[in-house]
């Protein structure tokens, strides 16, 4: 784990349109989970996800909105001050039954900084932010790649018991949850 990485809460004024300009993100998906009845099957694929300059600006604006509406945006910074990872939590909780869900809207680590524990640090810190907002569970609408789902499984996430429609990014995503409070486990 890279102990020299600093995780910081980004204020609304620290989020700007070119903050992701040098952030490296290219996701090669060779296997992904697809819905199969009530479960998922792993299937071969050949997809490449990259961010255009326009998408980087849109993501920055989205992060700014998340921060502005009571959410949390965390940045992971290298010793030289370079942004090497970030995570965002929506500020609006959504109730399902007697549980309050927070929405993890983004978690990314720069391609050259992956597999150093930065994603884990960001996840742990964003969970604390969700607890501070009185959430019982964290909802994640995740890209269904094998690597992404494996990461969240290592963090302790499982398939979501309840689906929060307003938190869904795409119908192809895999919906996960993470229990933030022991009394919120198993409805």
């Amino acid at each position: 784990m890279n102990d020299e990485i600093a995780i910081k809460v980004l204020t609304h004024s620290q989020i700007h349109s070119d903050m992701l300009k040098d952030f490296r993100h290219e996701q090669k998906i060779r296997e992904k989970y697809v819905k199969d009845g009530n479960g998922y099957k792993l299937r071969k694929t050949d997809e490449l996800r990259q961010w255009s300059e326009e998408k980087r600006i849109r993501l920055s604006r989205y992060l700014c909105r998340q921060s502005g509406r009571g959410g949390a945006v965390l940045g992971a910074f290298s010793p030289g001050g370079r942004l090497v990872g970030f995570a965002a939590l929506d500020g609006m909780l959504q109730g399902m039954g007697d549980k309050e869900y927070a929405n993890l809207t983004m978690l990314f680590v720069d391609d050259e900084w992956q597999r150093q524990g930065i994603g884990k640090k960001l996840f742990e810190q964003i969970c604390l932010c969700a607890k501070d907002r009185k959430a019982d569970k964290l909802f994640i609408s995740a890209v269904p790649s094998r690597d992404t789902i494996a990461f969240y499984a290592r963090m302790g996430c499982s398939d979501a018991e309840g689906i929060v429609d307003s938190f869904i990014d795409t119908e192809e995503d895999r919906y996960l949850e993470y229990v933030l409070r022991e009394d919120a486990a198993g409805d």
Side-chain angles (χ1 to χ4, degrees):
M1 183 174 292
N2 195 325
D3 292 328
E4 296 178 0
I5 298 298
I7 307 292
K8 299 176 185 175
V9 175
L10 300 179
T11 63
H12 191 73
S13 63
Q14 292 172 312
I15 303 168
H16 49 85
S17 61
D18 65 346
M19 70 181 278
L20 299 175
K21 180 179 68 157
D22 298 322
F23 196 90
R24 291 168 290 225
H25 176 68
E26 180 178 286
Q27 186 177 17
K28 295 174 186 168
I29 302 174
R30 302 289 182 234
E31 293 178 291
K32 72 177 184 179
Y33 290 93
V34 293
K35 291 178 187 171
D36 183 38
N38 291 331
Y40 293 90
K41 279 191 174 176
L42 197 57
R43 297 242 167 94
K44 299 253 184 238
T45 189
D46 188 20
E47 298 176 29
L48 180 62
R49 295 172 62 111
Q50 294 176 300
W51 293 346
S52 65
E53 183 177 332
E54 180 183 314
K55 174 131 185 178
R56 292 168 192 278
I57 292 169
R58 274 196 329 267
L59 288 174
S60 298
R61 288 179 182 153
Y62 183 77
L63 292 170
C64 198
R65 282 194 306 275
Q66 294 287 282
S67 173
R69 63 187 256 172
V73 177
L74 304 178
F77 294 89
S78 71
R82 184 171 176 272
L83 180 70
V84 297
F86 63 95
L89 181 76
D90 192 314
M92 307 300 288
L93 298 181
Q94 181 73 40
M96 280 199 76
D98 61 345
K99 306 295 182 260
E100 291 287 334
Y101 282 80
N103 186 14
L104 173 63
T105 59
M106 285 189 247
L107 193 155
F108 292 98
V109 175
D110 183 283
D111 291 346
E112 294 191 20
W113 289 83
Q114 291 181 4
R115 306 206 187 310
Q116 296 185 44
I118 298 168
K120 180 180 180 183
K121 281 182 172 183
L122 284 166
F123 185 81
E124 291 170 348
Q125 290 301 308
I126 211 74
C127 285
L128 293 175
C129 293
K131 283 182 180 181
D132 287 347
R133 286 158 177 78
K134 308 297 185 220
D136 299 301
K137 293 183 176 186
L138 191 65
F139 185 87
I140 305 141
S141 184
V143 171
S145 75
R146 179 183 202 145
D147 293 341
T148 299
I149 302 306
F151 166 78
Y152 285 118
R154 285 192 305 275
M155 296 303 103
C157 298
S158 59
D159 285 321
E161 291 180 10
I163 306 301
V164 183
D165 290 336
S166 62
F167 289 172
I168 292 173
D169 287 332
T170 73
E171 289 189 21
E172 292 79 35
D173 283 355
R174 186 156 175 186
Y175 313 131
L176 306 170
E177 68 179 31
Y178 180 79
V179 176
L180 297 164
R181 302 182 191 288
E182 289 303 315
D183 58 339
D187 287 327

